[in-house]
Amino acid sequence: MTIRNLPKALASTRPGVQSDISPRALDRWAPDLRASVEEDAAMISVLDPIGADMWGDGVTARRVAGALRSIGDREVVVNINSPGGDFFEGLAIYNLLREHRQKITVNVLGIAASAASVIAMAGDEVRIARAGFLMIHNTWIMAAGDRHSMREVADWLEPFDGTSTEIYAARSGLDAATVAGMLDRETWIGGAAAIEQGFADDYLPSDLVDTGAGDAARASLRAERKFDLMARRAGLTNSASRSILRELKSGMPGAADDVRPGAADVLQELAGLLQTAKSI
């Protein structure tokens, strides 16, 4: 089908406001999920948080734009397994895919949460794993300031929630009021419900998804990805975070010697995550 009448998304930023990942989405994300086979089309992988982190990782509009330029005037397959991230970057990626002249097929391999679910809506055809999930919610941010600044930020955010509602409603066929209510309560939509409600068109073939590593390796990978994200929030440099990660893994003391004040609680949680992963 062709759904090129999808609305264009308003994508802008505001100083002092940073979009973030929902903790529940991060907890449900299995970062080892990949597509197991190559299909007869050019591919773009959205398998990490949306937006660049301090190490240059993450899925960005710049990266997707470059991939689309390389692909040219051909059909594209977009494989998604992402907990979300920078919502405004996600809107920019949605716009890029929406404007591509050839068919876009979106495969939701695991989860497409928050910003990643918006990206998924740009597909002419959306396929979702039977055990996959879409998660939609109002724009999730981190901001700093006094009560006046917070009121201004809330007013500034409202149009973005309206844009999300418009996109999901256009893709699914649900009325805007129903979609807005789903955003208000953070709604997880499983594979069957996604198809039934119009967010997806069909199931993803089961042999297209590769779970990769075993349970222990999967838990360790998830813990390391959480470490990366939480270390960024703690303000760690690349070298400091990698040093801490190596020391936590090896059980060596002194991992937090060079960490700025205020990050100790974060590192304690990170250490617990890594120890849990190692014990599975």
Side-chain angles (χ1 to χ4, degrees), residues 138-158:
N138 290 325
T139 312
W140 184 290
I141 64 162
M142 297 173 62
D146 62 19
R147 69 180 189 276
H148 304 296
S149 298
M150 294 299 99
R151 290 191 184 103
E152 289 178 5
V153 169
D155 291 339
W156 176 78
L157 282 176
E158 192 169 351

Side-chain angles (χ1 to χ4, degrees), residues 63-120:
R63 178 184 133 193
V64 172
L68 288 172
R69 284 194 298 271
S70 296
I71 290 168
D73 194 23
R74 290 187 288 162
E75 294 185 0
V76 178
V77 173
V78 181
N79 293 319
I80 300 179
N81 177 40
S82 171
D86 189 326
F87 184 75
F88 311 110
E89 195 81 6
L91 292 178
I93 294 170
Y94 161 87
N95 282 334
L96 289 169
L97 295 175
R98 168 187 172 275
E99 293 163 4
H100 187 67
R101 296 179 59 182
Q102 294 296 327
K103 179 182 178 182
I104 300 283
T105 299
V106 169
N107 295 326
V108 180
L109 307 178
I111 69 171
S114 188
S117 70
V118 174
I119 294 170

Side-chain angles (χ1 to χ4, degrees), residues 91-276:
L91 292 178
I93 294 170
Y94 161 87
N95 282 334
L96 289 169
L97 295 175
R98 168 187 172 275
E99 293 163 4
H100 187 67
R101 296 179 59 182
Q102 294 296 327
K103 179 182 178 182
I104 300 283
T105 299
V106 169
N107 295 326
V108 180
L109 307 178
I111 69 171
S114 188
S117 70
V118 174
I119 294 170
M121 295 299 98
D124 292 300
E125 181 182 8
V126 180
R127 304 187 297 178
I128 187 169
R130 289 181 182 271
F133 280 93
L134 297 170
M135 187 276 275
I136 64 176
H137 64 175
N138 290 325
T139 312
W140 184 290
I141 64 162
M142 297 173 62
D146 62 19
R147 69 180 189 276
H148 304 296
S149 298
M150 294 299 99
R151 290 191 184 103
E152 289 178 5
V153 169
D155 291 339
W156 176 78
L157 282 176
E158 192 169 351
F160 293 102
D161 293 337
T163 295
S164 298
T165 297
E166 189 178 4
I167 291 170
Y168 295 127
R171 184 59 176 78
S172 67
L174 298 173
D175 65 86
T178 298
V179 173
M182 296 170 75
L183 294 177
D184 284 341
R185 61 180 180 268
E186 183 178 295
T187 301
W188 288 83
I189 308 167
I195 294 171
E196 180 182 347
Q197 296 174 19
F199 292 97
D201 302 297
D202 202 354
Y203 289 116
L204 189 67
S206 59
D207 60 357
L208 189 61
V209 181
D210 182 7
T211 57
D215 290 343
R218 186 177 303 121
S220 180
L221 178 59
R222 182 182 288 114
E224 288 187 23
R225 295 302 289 128
K226 287 184 179 180
F227 176 93
D228 288 342
L229 294 166
M230 295 179 72
R232 178 178 64 180
R233 293 174 185 170
L236 303 185
T237 65
N238 187 5
S239 58
S241 66
R242 293 305 167 184
S243 175
I244 291 168
L245 181 59
R246 287 193 298 270
E247 293 184 8
L248 287 172
K249 281 184 170 182
S250 64
M252 294 171 60
D257 287 349
D258 297 324
V259 179
R260 72 178 189 179
D265 291 340
V266 173
L267 292 177
Q268 184 176 3
E269 182 176 350
L270 295 175
L273 288 170
L274 290 167
Q275 289 302 321
T276 299

